[in-house]
Amino acid sequence: MFTMLKPSYDKETLLPGIQIKQMIVRRLKTLKPSSEGTQPSTSEPSWRKNYPLRCPNFIGGRFLDSQPSVSLDVINPATQQVVSQVPLTTDDEFKAAVFAAKRAFRLWRDTSVTLRQRIMFKFQELIRRDIDKLAFNITAEQGKTLKDAYNEVQRGLEMVDHVLGIARIHMGDFFPNISNGVDSYSIREPLGICAGICSFDFPSMIPLWMFPFAISCGNTFILKPSEKSPGACMILAELAMEAGLPNGVLNIVHGTNDIVNSICGDDDIKVVSIFGSDASGMHAHGICPSKGKHVQANIGAKNYAIVMPDANMDATLNALVEAGFGAAGQRCMTINTVVFVGDSSSWEDKLVERAKVLKVNAGTEPGANLGPVISNQAKEWISRTIQAGIDSGARLVLDGREIAVSKYEMGNFIGPTILADIKDDMEFHKEEILGPVLFCMQAGSLDEAICIVNCSKLCIGASIFTSSGAAARKFRTEIESRQVGINAVLPAPLPFFLLTDSRASFSGDISVNGKDILNFFTQIKTVTQQWKDFPTSEGTFMASTSNDPLARDRVPPAFDIQSSDGVSSLPVHDRDLSNSNGVSLALQSKDFQCSDVESLGEHSRDVTNSSGISPAMAVSEGSSHWALNF
C-alpha cells in the first residue's frame, strides 16, 4: 500500500536533472492576507520568512520550490500589494509531476473504493474546518467579498459531498445468461492521469469540481491553478495530504501558456478539463484531440435574460442586480444582457436606483456588495468596452468607471454600469466582458427576443421573467440555450446536474458535472464470460473450446419433415439431422437425466403434432446419440 504522508521514492531522482536532494522541500501553510503589508515575524517558520511568500509546486506528495528564479506576482486587487509569487514550472518539473502521477496510478487504481471514500470524508471535514482560511485567501487574491468567498467554498464542497457516494455512482451493469451459460457485464475503470486547468474567478470551487471526482474514480491528477489566484489550490493540496491522500495522486504545477501546452500535449495525460478564456479553451481543444484525449473547455461567459411586461418588478429587479453586478461580474453565470419586451424606460430607472445602492469596497470590508476586478488590465479592458459601446451609439445610463473607494484608491474598482439602446449589430456587447456591466436591449415581441438570444455566438444560459405560463413554456421550448431559467437567474448547477454550456461557450464532447462527468473520468469495459464444462468419453469434464459462446443460439435454416401420420409437418433444423437410423438430436447427458428409451422432459422449444402432443424422444438402439423418432 501507499505511504500516506512520507514519500517513498525508489530512485534518487524523479527524472534526469531533478534530484530530490537538490529540491527545497517545505510544508505550505495557509497564505494569510496581510492588508497592511507587514513582514512576517521572526517566530514564524523559516520558510515563511521569505517575503513575499513563494508558491511551490506540489509533486509526489511534497511541496517543492521551483528551480528557476522567474516568477509572477500575485496581487491583491484591492490594495495592489503582493500576496505571493508563482513560479513558472520548468519542463523537467512538469515531467516529474507526470512521473509521480503515473507511478501512483498503479496502486491507486487498485485501492478499494471504501478507502477512497474515507479519504474524501476526511477531506470534506478538513475543508469545513479551514473554510475561514480558504475564504480569506480567495478574497486576498481574487478580490470578491468574504460572503461570496464563503459561498464559493460551500459550492465546491457540494462536489466533495457528491463523491462520497462514489461506490453507487461508479457501479457497472450485469446481465446473466444472455446465452446458455453465458453472462455479460460492464465495469467502469479509471483512465490514468487526468489534468485540470483553472480560471481565476473561482479559485476553490473549480478545482473542487475537478480533482475530487477524478481521484475518487481511481485516477491521478495534475492541477494547474490560475497564476492570478493559486493560494486556494495550495491550501486544498495540504488538506488532501492531511486527509491521507497518497503521494502522487494529486500534483500541482504553475505557469501560463507553456505549461498549458505541456499538459495538452503530454501523451500520458488522458483527459483535460479547462475553465478559462476563449483563446485558451480553443487552443486546448485544438491540441488535445490530435493527441487522442478528451477535453472539456468551458469558456466564453455570457448569459441573457428576457423580461416580459407582466414580470414581477421587485423580484425581477433583485435578480437582475444580483446576477448582473454580484462578484463584480466576474463569474461565468453573470447576466450580461437584458432584453426587455416592450418599453424599457421604467425598468431602466428602477435598475439605476437599485444599482446605486450597492456598496463597492474591498472584499474584507463589512457590508461590501462587490469588490474589485482581478487586475488593472481587466479594469482597462472593461473601461474600453464601455467606451466602445458609447462610441457605437449606446446610451450610458449609469457609469461606474470613475468610482473612488476610500482607503483603497489604488484598487481595481469599477462600479455598476448600465448601457441601454444596444442594437444587435453592435459587436462590442457580443464578447465576454467579466465586469459589472449590464447591456439593455429592447424587442417588440417574445419571438424577437428569443431570436436575439439564439443568434448570440456565446451563450451559457438564458432566463425569462414573466407571469405567463404560456410565455414561459414557449421560451423553454424555443430557446436554444442548454441552461434555462424561468423567473430565476442561473446559478452554477448542483453536482448531480450538468453544466450545459451552449455554442461557443463550450468546446468538447462531454459536459461538466452530472452523469457526464463519470463518463469523462472513466471508461467502460464490457466483459462476456462463460463458465461451462463438457463431459469427455473418459467421464471427465473439459471447458468449451468454442470461440463464440453465442454460436449455439444462432438459428440455422429449417427443413420440413412429415410426421408418420402424414398430417402435419414438423420444423427441424439442419443441425438436428444425423445418421441413417433416424433424425438425431445431439444432447448432453448432463442436460437431461433419463434411462434407455425414456422420454425427455418437455421444453418450451419442443414442437407438437396436430394432436397437441410432443413427439416422443428416445435413444435408438445401437446409437450413442439421442434421437428423435417419428
Side-chain angles (χ1 to χ4, degrees), residues 522-584:
T522 63
Q523 59 188 354
I524 297 178
K525 178 180 289 184
T526 301
V527 180
T528 302
Q529 66 178 16
Q530 181 182 39
W531 298 102
K532 187 168 183 178
D533 297 329
F534 295 90
T536 64
S537 57
E538 290 80 11
T540 60
F541 289 83
M542 61 180 292
S544 170
T545 58
S546 171
N547 291 327
D548 187 354
L550 305 182
R552 62 177 298 155
D553 283 352
R554 297 197 178 109
V555 181
F559 299 88
D560 286 339
I561 299 180
Q562 296 294 322
S563 64
S564 57
D565 56 14
V567 176
S568 62
S569 62
L570 302 176
V572 180
H573 298 292
D574 59 354
R575 70 181 179 207
D576 297 330
L577 302 178
S578 183
N579 52 35
S580 59
N581 295 328
V583 181
S584 66

Side-chain angles (χ1 to χ4, degrees), residues 101-117:
K102 189 174 183 179
R103 185 179 59 182
F105 175 67
R106 301 169 189 168
L107 293 178
W108 181 243
R109 66 181 174 188
D110 295 328
T111 302
S112 68
V113 66
T114 53
L115 177 56
R116 295 183 211 150
Q117 283 181 302

Side-chain angles (χ1 to χ4, degrees), residues 10-21:
D10 53 3
K11 298 180 181 179
E12 184 180 75
T13 60
L14 291 172
L15 284 173
I18 298 195
Q19 295 186 353
I20 294 177
K21 63 185 180 181

